[in-house]
Amino acid sequence: MTEVNIAGTLLKLLQGDIVEQEVEAIVNAANTGLWGGSGVDGAIHRAGGPAIAAECRRIREEQGGCPVGQAVITSGGFLKARYVIHTVGPIWHGGRKGEDELLASAYRSSLQLAKERGIKSLAFPSISTGAYRFPVGRAARIALATVKDFLAANPGIFTEVRFVLFSQEILNTYTRVLEEGF
Ligand code: APR
């Protein structure tokens, strides 16, 4: 576990399963249709139960789902977390189709939604670095820089923001980026 205090918020990097996190909100790596899927999406729907899918369906019917780089919120169903913030990262196409900014936007939109809802603790997975094939080191730099900038601009806004990384290798990458400065 690595942790650093940024403007009064504790930023933590740890290896684990996002569905196990005891925070107010966990962030889902969703798709634009909010259909559910594998990876993080599959784990959250499996652990959270049908209420989450039902709320996703309503959002799909009411506003068409969630565009890439934006975020929507549902309850956490049976999860320890009260809320799930569903965000959609970009699919990696080589880096010349605005992927970096869309990934930053996914993190920023999730943080902004948490702020608007008065959520005090949240956990991110490593968005876009699984099925969407975004290179992990590049994603880590974007993720950490975006979260750091948001926390610096909003002192004490959260008690804790976690990155919950699914493997030691990915944790090592994020830790290296954090230690090198980003
Ligand atoms: N907890 C934490 N991290 C996890 C978990 C989990 N339970 N399961 C997978 N991961 C990690 C992956 O190892 C990867 O590093 O989360 C990161 C994101 O991987 P994906 O879940 O595949 O998400 P993403 O790359 O953003 O692709 C999203 O996949 O599941 C579908 O419906 C989803 O279409 C969407 C796409």
Side-chain angles (χ1 to χ4, degrees), residues 16-18 29-31 36-41 43 126 128-132 164 166 170:
D17 187 331
I18 193 99
N31 55 59
S38 53
V40 168
D41 207 358
S126 175
S128 281
T129 62
Y132 285 0
V164 182
F166 211 42
I170 296 176

Side-chain angles (χ1 to χ4, degrees), residues 20-182:
E20 296 302 324
Q21 301 308 308
E22 299 196 28
V23 290
E24 259 189 276
I26 62 173
V27 177
N28 183 21
N31 55 59
T32 54
L34 301 175
W35 296 103
S38 53
V40 168
D41 207 358
I44 287 177
H45 280 279
R46 266 194 309 279
I52 298 177
E55 291 174 58
C56 286
R57 184 170 55 249
R58 192 171 63 248
I59 295 169
R60 192 166 51 244
E61 288 164 359
E62 287 172 359
Q63 56 195 71
C66 181
V68 180
Q70 295 188 25
V72 297
I73 191 166
T74 68
S75 74
F78 301 128
L79 289 167
K80 295 172 184 140
R82 275 187 65 196
Y83 301 104
V84 177
I85 292 175
H86 305 260
T87 193
V88 182
I91 298 171
W92 179 251
H93 292 294
R96 288 187 297 280
K97 292 191 183 300
E99 295 97 318
D100 289 1
E101 180 39 43
L102 284 168
L103 184 61
S105 176
Y107 282 100
R108 207 175 298 124
S109 302
S110 302
L111 291 161
Q112 182 58 33
L113 191 45
K115 175 182 176 181
E116 289 164 5
R117 293 298 184 99
I119 289 166
K120 289 299 175 194
S121 59
L122 62 155
F124 283 105
S126 175
I127 298 167
S128 281
T129 62
Y132 285 0
R133 313 202 60 71
F134 204 112
V136 178
R138 188 173 174 140
R141 273 188 295 282
I142 293 165
L144 289 167
T146 303
V147 170
K148 178 189 168 191
D149 290 349
F150 190 93
L151 297 182
N154 296 274
I157 186 79
F158 306 117
T159 53
E160 180 178 334
V161 175
R162 295 181 187 177
F163 278 92
V164 182
L165 305 160
F166 211 42
S167 71
Q168 184 65 48
E169 183 192 359
I170 296 176
L171 173 61
N172 293 346
T173 300
Y174 272 72
T175 304
R176 189 178 65 250
V177 168
L178 187 70
E179 288 168 349
E180 285 168 358
F182 41 85

